[in-house]
């Protein structure tokens, strides 16, 4: 065991808590000499500045461990520099020369993640035309202010907000180089300008000039010494770029990085990260690129791109029991990755043979969980407040085709959608999103509620099984879309689901296709298509031969020859306040007290209370005729 304490000395041998080393620099200089089973232990309650560089491997059953010793709060490894000794530049702007490994991408004021200065402040400018991924033209911009060298943050489509360096500004045309995305722009969408001192005009806005080393911040009439300003000056906090394996990280807090806090490169197999806290990260909080990894019981918050990401060609990673929150919320700080993807996501997984379970994911700029591999199980996760910055995403998203993806027993609430900078003001956020030819996916036992567009959406999707889900208070309980004249929707199985439209403007099922293929969408039976307020035309169908039509359950059955044993609402409701939705996001049973007799969509009646099993839900209505025996327990399959 090797001990590190802020009161230690790097000339010590580090072999006991009474003779500890002092710095991460000393650890890095000695790391390559470590053997399997050795431990690097940081003193609890202490803070250490720097990047820990892994240069040795453990072995099966004998990992190299990075952990803690002593009592008190978990030790902190940080890349933050706290700013003091400001220079008054005039006009409310103060500066400080800092030493940083790159232009910072993470700044906090009194513990709040704060964005760069931008122009305009809270709205988007509009560009009327574009040239592929090269330039945009804003007919009203002009060049009285030349923005060459600044960044244009361009809303290129519903799901991309791309950071681009302006290489030339002539007239109304901004020519740019993208910092990562190869998406082309969309006419009449929006953009704003940042990363320029001239944008720093409101309290808290900042700019970092790497040529001079100066960091600028606008305080106006506020005394900067009354504020705690921290700037990330280290790229990463743990780096393993030499493919070392069998590394375990536990009981450490990682705070403040420009790029990824934990960056374990491709080939970093059999690594474990558990019981750690990761916060205020310029890009990805935890980034694994090896196989057979475990990410368990961590807190990940305030990251500008992805909370937890497993990328490249690894397999067999387990991501469980983590809390992931406040991801990708500051517009203009996320950078695209791999050319086409701008994943401001809670959890992004590209691996095969993976398990994502029992995670809590809240307040995310884009997708809650996005998966892109074979034999992946996403189960019993609680996902809330999604698509707060971008649109056309959702709580759990996948494309396809893949093999044996299972989305099971998750609770997904409030997929919102943000249309700022779009030409269309209608949000398109989904709960579970099977996008672009998604196939061979089982979606079962999930609860999805309060989404701006679809509870479950299948976009050009086929060979999927949708069973025993509850979709409540979404514009469309389930939504099939085919916008491809060369494709068709087929072989999807729909059974045992509850699609509950809370208001008269919502639909239990919506299906739209560019060709006349709606009846071939698949097979459906034993579903509940419920809209107790006006429970008639709850199906919306749209195809070239018939146009847009609204259909009753009987009309849907006649049109598709499906859902012979499916049902409408057992009762009518005139007031939406008489509808009650309850869910249990916990691992233990939850007792829900009822103030009056209630009935569910299957006609089961309840008084006094019900007990919800873990990751179960129920939609109840006030019972107008509480005469049957009451049930005390509700079991959601």
């Amino acid at each position: 065991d090797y001990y590190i304490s802020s009161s230690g000395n790097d000339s010590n041998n580090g072999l006991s808590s009474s003779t500890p080393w002092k710095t991460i620099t000393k650890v890095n200089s000695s790391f390559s000499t470590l053997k399997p089973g050795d431990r690097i232990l940081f003193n609890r309650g202490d803070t250490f500045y720097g990047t820990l560089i892994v240069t040795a491997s453990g072995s099966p059953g004998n990992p190299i461990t990075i952990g803690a010793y002593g009592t008190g709060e978990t030790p902190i490894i940080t890349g933050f520099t706290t700013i003091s000794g400001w220079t008054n530049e005039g006009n409310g702007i103060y500066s400080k020369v800092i030493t940083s490994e790159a232009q910072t991408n993470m700044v906090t004021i009194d513990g709040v993640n704060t964005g760069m200065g931008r122009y305009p402040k809270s709205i988007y400018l509009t560009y009327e035309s574009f040239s592929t991924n090269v330039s945009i033209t804003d007919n009203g911009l002009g060049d009285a202010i030349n923005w060459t060298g600044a960044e244009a943050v361009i809303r290129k489509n519903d799901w991309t907000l791309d950071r681009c360096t302006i290489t030339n500004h002539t007239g109304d045309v901004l020519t740019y180089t993208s910092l990562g995305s190869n998406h082309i722009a969309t006419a009449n969408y929006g953009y704003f300008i940042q990363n320029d001192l001239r944008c720093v005009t409101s309290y808290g806005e900042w700019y970092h000039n790497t040529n001079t080393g100066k960091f600028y911040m606008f305080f106006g009439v506020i005394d900067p010494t009354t504020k705690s300003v921290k700037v990330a000056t280290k790229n990463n906090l743990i780096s393993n770029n030499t493919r070392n394996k069998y590394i375990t990280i536990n009981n450490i807090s990682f705070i403040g990085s420009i790029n990824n806090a934990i960056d374990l490169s491709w080939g970093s197999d059999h690594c474990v990260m558990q019981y750690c806290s990761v916060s205020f990260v310029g890009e990805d909080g935890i980034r694994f690129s090896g196989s057979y990894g475990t990410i368990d019981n961590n807190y990940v918050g305030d990251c500008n791109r992805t909370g937890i990401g497993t990328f490249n060609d690894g397999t067999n990673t387990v991501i469980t029991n983590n809390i992931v929150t406040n991801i990708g919320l500051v517009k203009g700080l996320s950078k695209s990755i791999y050319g086409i993807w701008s994943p401001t996501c809670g959890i992004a997984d590209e691996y095969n043979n993976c398990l994502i379970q029992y995670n809590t994911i809240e307040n995310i700029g884009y997708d809650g969980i996005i998966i892109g591999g074979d034999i992946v199980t996403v189960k019993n996760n609680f996902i809330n407040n999604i698509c707060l910055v971008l649109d056309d995403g959702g709580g759990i998203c996948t494309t396809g085709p893949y093999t044996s993806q299972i989305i099971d027993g998750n609770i997904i609430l409030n997929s919102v959608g943000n249309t700022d900078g779009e030409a269309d003001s209608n949000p398109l956020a989904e709960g579970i999103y099977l996008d672009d030819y998604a196939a061979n996916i089982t979606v079962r036992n999930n609860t999805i509620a309060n989404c701006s567009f679809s509870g479950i959406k299948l976009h050009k999707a086929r060979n999927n099984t949708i069973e025993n889900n509850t979709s409540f208070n979404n514009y469309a309980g389930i939504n099939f879309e085919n916008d491809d004249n060369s494709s068709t929707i087929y072989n999807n199985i729909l059974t045992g689901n509850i699609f509950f439209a809370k208001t008269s403007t919502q639909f239990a099922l919506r299906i739209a296709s560019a060709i006349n293929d709606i009846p071939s969408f698949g097979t459906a039976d034993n579903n509940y298509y419920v809209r107790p307020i006006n429970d008639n035309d709850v199906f919306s169908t749209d195809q070239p031969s018939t146009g847009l039509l609204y259909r009753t359950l009987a009309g849907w059955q006649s049109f598709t020859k499906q859902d012979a044993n499916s049902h409408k609402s057992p009762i009518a409701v005139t007031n939406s306040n008489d509808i009650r939705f309850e869910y249990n996001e916990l691992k233990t049973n939850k007792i829900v007290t009822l103030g009056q007799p209630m009935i569910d969509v299957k006609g089961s009646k309840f008084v006094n209370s019900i007990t919800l099993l873990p990751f179960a839900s129920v939609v109840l209505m006030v019972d107008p005729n509480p005469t049957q025996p009451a049930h005390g327990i509700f079991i959601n399959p």
Side-chain angles (χ1 to χ4, degrees):
D1 291 346
Y2 295 87
Y3 297 82
I4 303 94
S5 168
S6 59
S7 60
N9 191 311
D10 286 347
S11 63
N12 290 338
N13 61 20
L15 295 175
S16 72
S17 58
S18 60
T19 58
W21 294 334
K22 182 179 179 66
T23 67
I24 288 177
T25 300
K26 177 63 177 179
V27 176
N28 289 338
S29 68
S30 306
F31 209 111
S32 62
T33 67
L34 298 183
K35 302 297 188 293
D38 286 354
R39 299 192 301 171
I40 298 291
L41 303 176
F42 291 87
N43 188 35
R44 290 180 179 272
D46 287 353
T47 298
F48 305 88
Y49 174 81
T51 303
L52 189 60
I53 301 174
V54 176
T55 53
S57 291
S59 64
N62 290 288
I64 292 176
T65 298
I66 301 166
Y69 77 95
T71 60
E73 298 294 325
T74 55
I76 295 171
I77 294 178
T78 186
F80 266 147
T81 295
T82 301
I83 304 297
S84 61
W86 293 95
T87 297
N88 190 341
E89 299 280 351
N91 297 317
I93 296 175
Y94 291 76
S95 71
K96 174 71 175 184
V97 175
I98 62 173
T99 300
S100 181
E101 293 182 340
Q103 185 180 53
T104 193
N105 201 45
M106 174 54 64
V107 175
T108 65
I109 303 176
D110 293 338
V112 177
N113 186 3
T114 304
M116 292 182 181
R118 57 173 280 185
Y119 168 80
K121 294 306 171 191
S122 58
I123 62 172
Y124 286 75
L125 301 170
T126 300
Y127 59 94
E128 287 76 21
S129 59
F130 62 92
S131 175
T132 62
N133 193 23
V134 174
S135 68
I136 57 173
T137 300
D138 174 356
N139 293 335
L141 178 62
D143 56 6
I145 300 175
N146 191 303
W147 292 110
T148 300
E151 288 179 0
V153 180
I154 305 173
R155 188 76 184 252
K156 290 186 171 180
N157 49 45
D158 292 356
W159 63 91
T160 304
L161 189 60
D162 193 16
R163 289 179 66 173
C164 306
T165 300
I166 301 171
T167 57
N168 183 266
H169 179 182
T170 302
D172 294 332
V173 179
L174 298 177
T175 303
Y176 64 82
T177 300
S178 172
L179 297 184
S181 169
N182 60 15
H183 282 297
I184 63 174
T186 303
N188 298 313
Y189 272 49
Y191 74 101
F192 60 86
I193 294 170
Q194 67 174 20
N195 204 9
D196 190 291
L197 182 58
R198 292 168 294 181
C199 297
V200 180
T201 56
S202 296
Y203 170 71
E205 293 184 332
W206 57 268
Y207 165 66
H208 180 200
N209 187 327
T210 55
N211 292 325
T212 63
K214 277 190 175 184
F215 174 82
Y216 298 88
M217 180 168 281
F218 188 93
F219 288 96
V221 298
I222 296 174
D223 181 356
T225 64
T226 65
K227 298 294 178 180
S228 175
V229 178
K230 296 182 179 182
V231 178
T233 52
K234 289 290 185 181
N235 284 328
N236 311 110
L237 301 181
I238 287 189
S239 179
N240 179 11
N241 54 18
T242 51
R243 303 185 182 182
N244 295 286
K245 310 176 190 300
Y246 295 100
I247 305 297
T248 294
I249 308 164
N250 56 38
N251 293 297
I252 305 284
S253 291
F254 299 92
I255 305 176
S257 68
I258 299 172
N259 298 327
N260 309 315
I262 312 300
D263 195 350
L264 304 185
S265 65
W266 182 82
S268 302
D269 300 337
H270 299 282
C271 291
V272 176
M273 185 162 179
Q274 57 190 3
Y275 304 109
C276 291
S277 174
V278 177
S279 57
F280 298 113
V281 179
E283 292 183 1
D284 305 336
I286 301 173
R287 183 184 177 94
F288 272 32
S289 299
S291 297
Y292 300 96
T294 297
I295 303 171
D296 179 64
N297 270 292
N298 302 286
Y299 169 87
V300 182
D302 292 283
C303 304
N304 286 334
R305 188 165 66 189
T306 300
I308 298 173
T310 55
F311 301 115
N312 295 329
D313 298 321
T315 63
N316 295 281
T317 294
V318 175
I319 304 173
T320 49
N321 301 299
N322 302 284
I323 296 173
V324 182
T325 185
N326 299 334
I327 307 299
L329 298 183
V330 182
K331 296 176 182 178
L333 293 186
S334 178
K335 298 178 182 177
S336 297
I337 188 172
Y338 300 151
I340 61 171
W341 196 16
S342 54
T344 50
C345 303
I347 296 176
D349 173 65
E350 288 190 335
Y351 285 5
N352 297 329
N353 299 285
C354 292
L355 173 65
I356 303 172
Q357 187 174 25
Y358 295 132
N359 300 284
T360 296
I361 302 164
E362 295 190 273
N363 304 325
I364 311 297
Y366 189 43
D367 295 329
I369 298 174
I370 186 166
I371 52 177
D374 296 327
I375 316 177
V376 177
T377 298
V378 181
K379 186 175 183 179
N380 302 137
N381 300 282
F382 177 67
I383 303 169
N384 183 31
N385 287 334
I386 307 302
C387 287
L388 300 181
V389 171
L390 298 173
D391 200 18
D392 198 11
I396 300 174
C397 296
T398 183
T399 57
Y402 294 105
T403 300
S404 299
Q405 288 186 347
I406 297 174
I407 301 171
D408 183 9
N410 303 279
I411 294 179
I412 304 166
L413 309 177
N414 303 308
S415 190
V416 178
N418 189 321
T419 61
D420 292 348
E422 292 182 18
D424 186 353
S425 61
N426 295 315
L428 300 173
E430 329 292 351
I432 295 175
Y433 194 178
L434 310 187
D435 195 12
D436 275 354
Y437 309 105
N440 311 310
I441 300 165
T442 299
V443 178
R444 66 189 181 209
N445 306 324
N446 301 281
T447 296
I448 312 103
N450 311 328
C451 300
S452 64
F453 201 51
S454 315
I456 302 171
K457 180 176 179 178
L458 291 83
H459 180 220
K460 296 184 288 189
R462 57 198 64 176
N463 300 313
N464 302 292
T465 298
I466 314 297
E467 60 183 5
N468 300 326
N469 302 282
T470 296
S471 179
F472 171 74
N473 193 34
N474 309 294
Y475 174 73
I478 187 165
N479 180 19
F480 296 86
E481 284 191 6
N482 174 32
D483 50 11
D484 188 344
N485 288 318
S486 63
S487 181
T488 190
I489 308 168
Y490 63 88
N491 278 2
N492 296 292
I493 299 171
L494 206 63
T495 182
N497 302 283
I498 297 170
F499 302 116
F500 195 117
K502 183 179 180 181
T503 73
S504 61
T505 59
Q506 297 174 345
F507 296 94
L509 182 148
R510 176 184 182 271
I511 185 166
S513 182
I515 59 178
N516 297 312
D517 65 345
I518 286 180
S520 68
F521 75 93
T523 60
D525 206 6
N526 297 304
N527 299 293
Y528 290 82
Y529 301 100
V530 177
R531 192 173 70 187
I533 298 178
N534 188 14
D535 198 16
N536 289 312
D537 294 332
V538 300
F539 296 83
S540 172
T541 65
D542 191 358
Q543 63 180 16
S545 63
T546 60
L548 175 63
L549 292 175
Y550 302 133
R551 302 176 188 269
T552 64
L553 175 58
W556 168 257
Q557 291 167 331
S558 175
F559 177 50
T560 62
K561 309 300 187 257
Q562 299 296 325
D563 281 306
N565 299 295
S566 294
H567 307 275
K568 299 171 63 175
S569 176
I571 64 170
V573 172
T574 58
N575 187 338
S576 62
N577 291 328
D578 290 337
I579 300 171
R580 182 169 176 177
F581 168 62
E582 296 287 348
Y583 61 89
N584 180 13
E585 78 282 20
L586 306 175
K587 296 180 183 179
T588 57
N589 291 351
K590 178 180 180 180
I591 298 174
V592 177
T593 301
L594 303 177
Q596 55 190 324
M598 308 291 282
I599 184 172
D600 71 6
V601 299
K602 299 179 181 181
S604 298
K605 293 171 176 280
F606 306 90
V607 296
N608 300 325
S609 68
I610 58 173
T611 300
L612 292 181
L613 298 181
F615 294 92
S617 66
V618 64
V619 184
L620 301 171
M621 298 166 282
V622 173
D623 189 352
N625 185 28
T627 57
Q628 298 181 20
H631 301 279
I633 297 178
F634 178 82
I635 299 174
N636 193 26

